[in-house]
């Protein structure tokens, strides 16, 4: 687990943070794996369900993206509520409701039921990721946050590594069982475990270190002292957050990153099929390759970021490289080896940038308003999750090719890097603190 020692730090902090890490991060990682899997498994379902229920590429793109409209509408209220009622109740409620909704996708009959259930999935999952990020600020100092984010955000690549082969296997092995198609079984078997995990979360998680019975009084005092010493003096009220240009600059950068991540997440199986892979199980196996690279890139860049205590360049450089790599993949859609290699690099760089990015707002925002501020950044950014699959689906429907949409996503990744080059939120925070 990535927690480099800080020069001059109390030697007791290392064992304490390792204890916290082994208690919290494996469970939160499991929760997030299912969250990511249940939002992107629609990409594999498309291989069968599109023909079964009679939807076009444009309808699929809109339905895949409409998840994020529900998510965005309810995210800030959900995260502000978390600060009041605690993570234990919030995470449990979110997981149970999204698990039931994801499983209910097996009842989709056509365009409108597809839209409604995808929208409701977003509503019920709203606040999960930013809530988890805010929750971790109760347990870790800022000097350790990039490494912590890397562990938790590994859920995305793990969801891709495991989700591809498992989804493909379920769709193949269970096809026709008890009168259900393979894609229906996939939604059922990947949705219901979330309900069980949500119930466990209610009993397993503690809202704050002070309530953790597995920490001694000495450990709680040591952790509180370290968090206070490294938190700085700057505090934010949510009204200040709403008026802060740096917040919107971060949100726009995140929007560009999300456009790239979910363009690949929702369309990767289709891209592999266009590159010549026809067997569903082979598509599932090949789809794991970019996410294996993503996991390695995330850990590498996060460790470097924590070691150097630098966030901005560790975010913008991989975003820029991701844009270039995706552009290369788009130029050779039918050359399987080149296309897979370029998509793999693009995916790895996107996830590396995404991971380190979240250490920036959690460093910049202080006080309870951090919950709302992180949710606001995430809400604006996640509109990219609605826009990118919708753009690609519309372009594919209009032109018969994915190229135009993918070039647009490449340009957005480059734009996100340039935005962060101009916007310097960490410097803004320090300047305000000194004023």
């Amino acid at each position: 687990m990535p927690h480099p020692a800080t020069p001059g730090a109390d030697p007791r902090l290392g064992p304490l943070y390792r204890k916290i890490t082994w208690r919290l991060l494996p469970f939160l990682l499991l929760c997030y794996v299912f969250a990511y899997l249940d939002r992107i498994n629609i990409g594999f379902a498309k291989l069968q369900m599109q023909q079964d229920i009679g939807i076009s590429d444009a309808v699929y793109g809109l339905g895949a993206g409409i998840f994020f409209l529900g998510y965005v509408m309810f995210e800030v209220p959900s995260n502000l509520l978390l600060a009041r009622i605690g993570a234990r109740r919030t995470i449990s409620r979110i997981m149970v409701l999204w698990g039931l909704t994801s499983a209910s996708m097996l009842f989709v009959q056509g365009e409108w039921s597809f839209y409604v259930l995808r929208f409701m999935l977003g509503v019920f999952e709203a606040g999960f990721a930013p809530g988890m990020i805010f929750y971790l600020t109760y347990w870790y100092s800022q000097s350790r946050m990039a490494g912590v984010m890397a562990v938790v955000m590994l859920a995305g690549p793990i969801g891709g590594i495991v989700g591809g082969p498992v989804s493909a296997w379920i769709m193949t092995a269970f096809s026709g069982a008890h009168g259900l198609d393979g894609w229906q079984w996939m939604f059922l078997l990947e949705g219901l475990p979330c309900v069980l995990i949500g119930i466990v979360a209610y009993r397993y998680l503690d809202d704050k270190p002070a309530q953790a019975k597995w920490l001694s009084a000495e450990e709680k005092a040591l952790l509180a002292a370290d968090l206070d010493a490294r938190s700085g003096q700057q505090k934010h009220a949510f009204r200040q957050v709403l008026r802060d240009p740096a917040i919107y600059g971060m949100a726009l950068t995140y929007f560009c990153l999300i456009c790239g991540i979910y363009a690949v997440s929702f369309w990767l199986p289709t891209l592999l099929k266009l590159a010549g892979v026809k067997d569903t199980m082979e598509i599932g196996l090949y789809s794991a390759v970019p996410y294996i690279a993503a996991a390695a890139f995330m850990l590498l860049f996060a460790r470097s970021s924590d070691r150097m205590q630098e966030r901005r360049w560790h975010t913008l450089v991989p975003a820029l490289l991701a844009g270039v790599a995706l552009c290369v993949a788009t130029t050779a859609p039918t050359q399987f080896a080149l296309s897979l290699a370029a998509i793999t690099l693009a995916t790895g760089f996107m996830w590396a940038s995404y991971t380190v990015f979240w250490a920036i707002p959690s460093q910049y925002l202080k006080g309870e308003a951090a919950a709302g501020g992180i949710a606001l950044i995430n809400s604006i950014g996640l509109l990219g999750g609605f826009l990118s699959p919708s753009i690609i689906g519309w372009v594919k429907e209009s032109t018969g090719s994915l190229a135009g949409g993918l070039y647009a996503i490449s340009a957005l990744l480059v734009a996100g890097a340039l935005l962060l080059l101009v916007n310097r939120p960490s410097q803004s925070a320090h300047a305000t603190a000194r004023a």
Side-chain angles (χ1 to χ4, degrees):
M1 297 291 179
H3 299 308
T6 302
D10 190 317
R12 295 174 297 169
L13 286 171
L16 172 58
Y17 277 117
R18 282 193 292 273
K19 183 176 182 179
I20 292 169
T21 289
W22 285 110
R23 171 75 185 194
L24 295 183
L25 295 195
F27 183 75
L28 292 176
L29 176 61
L30 177 66
C31 294
Y32 203 9
V33 165
F34 275 97
Y36 189 77
L37 182 59
D38 282 347
R39 71 173 67 167
I40 65 137
N41 58 12
I42 192 69
F44 293 96
K46 177 183 182 288
L47 299 174
Q48 291 182 355
M49 73 178 290
Q50 183 172 13
Q51 184 174 356
D52 287 352
I53 66 175
I55 60 173
S56 66
D57 283 323
V59 169
Y60 165 74
L62 179 58
I66 208 169
F67 162 92
F68 295 97
L69 291 186
Y71 198 111
V72 165
M73 287 172 65
F74 289 88
E75 182 167 19
V76 172
S78 178
N79 231 36
L80 291 174
L81 186 63
L82 179 148
R84 292 180 176 272
I85 69 172
R88 185 169 60 99
R89 292 184 179 88
T90 301
I91 291 176
S92 178
R93 178 258 302 169
I94 287 173
M95 292 200 69
V96 168
L97 292 177
W98 108 49
L100 292 172
T101 306
S102 182
S104 297
M105 285 290 294
L106 71 91
F107 298 114
V108 168
Q109 297 292 320
E111 177 179 344
W112 288 104
S113 57
F114 180 48
Y115 290 156
V116 168
L117 281 172
R118 286 292 295 179
F119 179 80
M120 294 308 299
L121 185 65
V123 169
F124 290 135
E125 197 183 316
F128 178 74
M132 196 164 53
I133 294 167
F134 174 65
Y135 177 60
L136 290 169
T137 64
Y138 288 143
W139 300 87
Y140 291 95
S141 67
Q142 287 304 318
S143 64
R144 299 170 185 263
M145 279 303 288
V148 171
M149 288 295 100
V151 173
V152 175
M153 298 304 178
L154 276 175
I158 290 173
I161 294 167
V162 175
V166 169
S167 297
W169 176 77
I170 292 173
M171 289 167 61
T172 303
F174 285 81
S175 182
H178 300 286
L180 296 178
D181 290 318
W183 62 270
Q184 293 176 303
W185 277 109
M186 185 200 68
F187 283 125
L188 182 66
L189 296 179
E190 292 178 357
L192 289 183
C194 299
V195 178
L196 177 61
I197 297 171
I199 294 170
V200 172
Y202 186 79
R203 300 296 300 269
Y204 184 78
L205 295 177
D206 298 287
D207 288 329
K208 292 184 179 181
Q211 300 163 355
K213 295 180 181 178
W214 44 276
L215 290 178
S216 68
E218 180 185 358
E219 288 171 327
K220 292 175 185 177
L222 179 63
L223 179 61
D226 189 53
L227 294 177
D228 288 344
R230 299 178 187 277
S231 65
Q233 301 302 312
Q234 169 98 351
K235 300 293 180 184
H236 286 81
F238 190 56
R239 285 193 297 266
Q240 289 176 276
V241 168
L242 291 173
R243 296 193 299 266
D244 189 342
I247 297 295
Y248 295 99
M250 286 186 275
L252 288 173
T253 293
Y254 188 54
F255 171 87
C256 295
L257 292 176
I258 287 294
C259 281
I261 283 174
Y262 283 105
V264 172
S265 297
F266 289 133
W267 289 95
L268 180 58
T270 301
L271 288 169
L272 291 172
K273 191 172 182 178
L274 290 172
V277 186
K278 302 301 181 185
D279 181 72
T280 300
M281 196 65 216
E282 284 188 27
I283 290 174
L285 292 171
Y286 279 122
S287 70
V289 174
Y291 291 105
I292 294 172
F297 281 36
M298 288 168 71
L299 292 174
L300 178 66
F301 275 81
R303 185 176 291 273
S304 174
S305 176
D306 271 350
R307 185 177 63 251
M308 299 175 66
Q309 288 297 292
E310 195 288 321
R311 311 303 188 192
R312 198 163 62 99
W313 288 99
H314 280 79
T315 302
L316 73 87
V317 169
L320 183 63
L321 294 174
V324 173
L326 186 60
C327 192
V328 171
T330 307
T331 62
T334 59
Q335 298 179 38
F336 175 72
L338 177 60
S339 179
L340 181 61
I343 291 171
T344 297
L345 286 173
T347 305
F349 284 126
M350 285 178 210
W351 280 97
S353 180
Y354 170 85
T355 301
V356 180
F357 169 84
W358 276 116
I360 297 174
S362 60
Q363 175 178 292
Y364 180 74
L365 291 162
K366 308 297 179 186
E368 291 297 312
I374 290 170
L376 179 63
I377 292 169
N378 201 51
S379 294
I380 295 171
L382 281 182
L383 288 172
F386 169 72
L387 184 66
S388 65
S390 301
I391 286 176
I392 293 174
W394 178 79
V395 171
K396 174 73 161 53
E397 191 77 11
S398 302
T399 66
S401 170
L402 294 173
L406 290 174
Y407 281 131
I409 302 303
S410 300
L412 282 169
L413 286 166
V414 173
L418 296 178
L419 277 169
L420 197 57
L421 186 64
V422 175
N423 186 31
R424 303 190 176 195
S426 60
Q427 291 190 6
S428 300
H430 296 318
T432 307
R434 287 194 301 266

Tab-separated table of all heavy atoms in Angstrom, residues 89-108:
chain	number	residue	atom	x	y	z
A	89	ARG	N	-23.969	5.415	6.801
A	89	ARG	CA	-25.351	5.400	6.319
A	89	ARG	C	-25.414	5.736	4.831
A	89	ARG	O	-26.198	5.143	4.088
A	89	ARG	CB	-26.203	6.400	7.104
A	89	ARG	CG	-26.435	6.025	8.560
A	89	ARG	CD	-27.365	7.032	9.228
A	89	ARG	NE	-27.625	6.693	10.610
A	89	ARG	CZ	-26.872	7.090	11.640
A	89	ARG	NH1	-25.799	7.846	11.408
A	89	ARG	NH2	-27.171	6.747	12.871
A	90	THR	N	-24.599	6.697	4.412
A	90	THR	CA	-24.651	7.146	3.017
A	90	THR	C	-24.207	6.052	2.058
A	90	THR	O	-24.891	5.750	1.067
A	90	THR	CB	-23.772	8.394	2.828
A	90	THR	OG1	-24.234	9.428	3.705
A	90	THR	CG2	-23.825	8.887	1.391
A	91	ILE	N	-23.049	5.442	2.309
A	91	ILE	CA	-22.534	4.413	1.409
A	91	ILE	C	-23.445	3.198	1.395
A	91	ILE	O	-23.709	2.608	0.344
A	91	ILE	CB	-21.087	4.040	1.796
A	91	ILE	CG1	-20.157	5.221	1.490
A	91	ILE	CG2	-20.625	2.778	1.062
A	91	ILE	CD1	-18.721	5.013	1.924
A	92	SER	N	-23.977	2.822	2.552
A	92	SER	CA	-24.896	1.682	2.620
A	92	SER	C	-26.150	1.944	1.791
A	92	SER	O	-26.566	1.109	0.975
A	92	SER	CB	-25.282	1.403	4.080
A	92	SER	OG	-26.200	0.340	4.149
A	93	ARG	N	-26.748	3.116	1.973
A	93	ARG	CA	-27.972	3.461	1.226
A	93	ARG	C	-27.727	3.473	-0.283
A	93	ARG	O	-28.501	2.916	-1.060
A	93	ARG	CB	-28.454	4.843	1.695
A	93	ARG	CG	-29.692	5.383	0.990
A	93	ARG	CD	-29.344	6.442	-0.060
A	93	ARG	NE	-28.619	7.566	0.510
A	93	ARG	CZ	-28.029	8.506	-0.215
A	93	ARG	NH1	-28.050	8.433	-1.543
A	93	ARG	NH2	-27.372	9.498	0.355
A	94	ILE	N	-26.603	4.075	-0.691
A	94	ILE	CA	-26.292	4.164	-2.113
A	94	ILE	C	-26.128	2.774	-2.722
A	94	ILE	O	-26.693	2.464	-3.777
A	94	ILE	CB	-25.009	5.001	-2.321
A	94	ILE	CG1	-25.297	6.488	-2.060
A	94	ILE	CG2	-24.464	4.822	-3.737
A	94	ILE	CD1	-24.060	7.372	-2.086
A	95	MET	N	-25.382	1.901	-2.065
A	95	MET	CA	-25.078	0.596	-2.648
A	95	MET	C	-26.314	-0.294	-2.764
A	95	MET	O	-26.505	-0.999	-3.764
A	95	MET	CB	-23.988	-0.100	-1.842
A	95	MET	CG	-22.644	0.578	-1.945
A	95	MET	SD	-21.262	-0.489	-1.496
A	95	MET	CE	-21.256	-1.654	-2.835
A	96	VAL	N	-27.159	-0.280	-1.747
A	96	VAL	CA	-28.362	-1.112	-1.796
A	96	VAL	C	-29.271	-0.666	-2.937
A	96	VAL	O	-29.756	-1.491	-3.734
A	96	VAL	CB	-29.114	-1.059	-0.453
A	96	VAL	CG1	-30.506	-1.686	-0.580
A	96	VAL	CG2	-28.316	-1.780	0.628
A	97	LEU	N	-29.498	0.639	-3.061
A	97	LEU	CA	-30.420	1.134	-4.091
A	97	LEU	C	-29.845	0.973	-5.495
A	97	LEU	O	-30.566	0.613	-6.433
A	97	LEU	CB	-30.763	2.601	-3.816
A	97	LEU	CG	-31.615	2.848	-2.565
A	97	LEU	CD1	-31.838	4.336	-2.348
A	97	LEU	CD2	-32.959	2.134	-2.670
A	98	TRP	N	-28.533	1.227	-5.671
A	98	TRP	CA	-27.995	1.070	-7.027
A	98	TRP	C	-27.925	-0.408	-7.411
A	98	TRP	O	-28.120	-0.758	-8.577
A	98	TRP	CB	-26.679	1.800	-7.201
A	98	TRP	CG	-25.425	0.979	-7.293
A	98	TRP	CD1	-25.193	-0.117	-8.083
A	98	TRP	CD2	-24.203	1.207	-6.579
A	98	TRP	NE1	-23.909	-0.578	-7.888
A	98	TRP	CE2	-23.290	0.217	-6.979
A	98	TRP	CE3	-23.805	2.173	-5.662
A	98	TRP	CZ2	-21.996	0.142	-6.468
A	98	TRP	CZ3	-22.510	2.110	-5.168
A	98	TRP	CH2	-21.629	1.109	-5.559
A	99	GLY	N	-27.661	-1.296	-6.438
A	99	GLY	CA	-27.623	-2.721	-6.740
A	99	GLY	C	-28.957	-3.228	-7.243
A	99	GLY	O	-29.040	-3.977	-8.225
A	100	LEU	N	-30.036	-2.806	-6.584
A	100	LEU	CA	-31.377	-3.209	-7.013
A	100	LEU	C	-31.713	-2.644	-8.393
A	100	LEU	O	-32.314	-3.325	-9.225
A	100	LEU	CB	-32.414	-2.743	-5.987
A	100	LEU	CG	-32.353	-3.433	-4.608
A	100	LEU	CD1	-33.307	-2.748	-3.631
A	100	LEU	CD2	-32.699	-4.919	-4.744
A	101	THR	N	-31.312	-1.407	-8.641
A	101	THR	CA	-31.605	-0.786	-9.937
A	101	THR	C	-30.803	-1.428	-11.055
A	101	THR	O	-31.324	-1.677	-12.149
A	101	THR	CB	-31.297	0.727	-9.879
A	101	THR	OG1	-32.002	1.311	-8.784
A	101	THR	CG2	-31.718	1.410	-11.166
A	102	SER	N	-29.521	-1.718	-10.793
A	102	SER	CA	-28.694	-2.351	-11.811
A	102	SER	C	-29.244	-3.722	-12.187
A	102	SER	O	-29.329	-4.074	-13.367
A	102	SER	CB	-27.247	-2.484	-11.316
A	102	SER	OG	-26.422	-3.047	-12.315
A	103	ALA	N	-29.655	-4.503	-11.186
A	103	ALA	CA	-30.237	-5.815	-11.459
A	103	ALA	C	-31.528	-5.687	-12.268
A	103	ALA	O	-31.850	-6.539	-13.103
A	103	ALA	CB	-30.498	-6.557	-10.152
A	104	SER	N	-32.262	-4.587	-12.039
A	104	SER	CA	-33.535	-4.374	-12.738
A	104	SER	C	-33.361	-4.080	-14.216
A	104	SER	O	-34.340	-4.088	-14.972
A	104	SER	CB	-34.309	-3.221	-12.077
A	104	SER	OG	-34.647	-3.539	-10.741
A	105	MET	N	-32.123	-3.817	-14.651
A	105	MET	CA	-31.872	-3.596	-16.078
A	105	MET	C	-32.262	-4.809	-16.925
A	105	MET	O	-32.447	-4.710	-18.128
A	105	MET	CB	-30.394	-3.271	-16.311
A	105	MET	CG	-29.971	-1.869	-15.908
A	105	MET	SD	-30.633	-0.570	-16.995
A	105	MET	CE	-29.772	-0.944	-18.528
A	106	LEU	N	-32.407	-5.975	-16.294
A	106	LEU	CA	-32.802	-7.160	-17.053
A	106	LEU	C	-34.220	-7.036	-17.611
A	106	LEU	O	-34.608	-7.779	-18.521
A	106	LEU	CB	-32.677	-8.418	-16.194
A	106	LEU	CG	-33.676	-8.665	-15.043
A	106	LEU	CD1	-34.893	-9.458	-15.500
A	106	LEU	CD2	-32.993	-9.412	-13.896
A	107	PHE	N	-35.008	-6.078	-17.070
A	107	PHE	CA	-36.389	-5.895	-17.519
A	107	PHE	C	-36.526	-4.911	-18.676
A	107	PHE	O	-37.637	-4.626	-19.118
A	107	PHE	CB	-37.269	-5.426	-16.352
A	107	PHE	CG	-37.347	-6.404	-15.214
A	107	PHE	CD1	-36.806	-6.092	-13.967
A	107	PHE	CD2	-37.937	-7.647	-15.394
A	107	PHE	CE1	-36.876	-6.995	-12.916
A	107	PHE	CE2	-38.010	-8.555	-14.347
A	107	PHE	CZ	-37.471	-8.233	-13.105
A	108	VAL	N	-35.391	-4.355	-19.153
A	108	VAL	CA	-35.446	-3.386	-20.254
A	108	VAL	C	-36.122	-4.014	-21.469
A	108	VAL	O	-35.785	-5.127	-21.886
A	108	VAL	CB	-34.026	-2.902	-20.624
A	108	VAL	CG1	-34.049	-2.137	-21.935
A	108	VAL	CG2	-33.458	-2.018	-19.515
